[in-house]
Amino acid sequence: MRKDGIFIAVEVADEAAADVELARRLAEACPVDIFAQAAGDALEIVEGSLDECVLCRLCLDASPPGAVKVIKLYDDGAELA
Ligand code: SF4
């Protein structure tokens, strides 16, 4: 799944997005509430919050390598590493 803001896009691999425990960790980790748990505890990317991203990497640290990508649309699509 991927959602795009104006400056930031977030992409989550499908199998990671289906992981309820990972969804919980991401919802807890992100300081600006870009991740939430929707009905059935599925992961939701909150489109209206995307451009609040502070590039803190907490979502990357909370997930398996490559499962979550934070894409800097303002920087030619460079990925937060
Ligand atoms: S880098 Fe930080 S602010 Fe941005 S989506 Fe990840 S946890 Fe949220």
Side-chain angles (χ1 to χ4, degrees):
M1 87 173 40
R2 171 175 168 152
K3 291 242 175 110
D4 288 46
I6 296 171
F7 303 112
I8 293 289
V10 169
E11 186 173 317
V12 180
D14 287 344
E15 63 193 46
D19 182 336
V20 170
E21 173 58 24
L22 179 60
R24 188 189 63 74
R25 288 206 306 270
L26 288 171
E28 276 185 13
C30 181
V32 294
D33 297 333
I34 285 171
F35 301 100
Q37 281 185 286
D41 291 335
L43 180 68
E44 182 178 20
I45 300 172
V46 181
E47 202 166 347
S49 297
L50 282 168
D51 290 326
E52 305 298 322
C53 177
V54 292
L55 307 176
C56 66
R57 303 187 78 264
L58 290 173
C59 57
L60 306 185
D61 293 342
S63 55
V68 175
K69 293 178 181 170
V70 176
I71 300 156
K72 297 184 268 187
L73 299 174
Y74 63 87
D75 189 14
D76 286 335
E79 282 179 29
L80 181 64

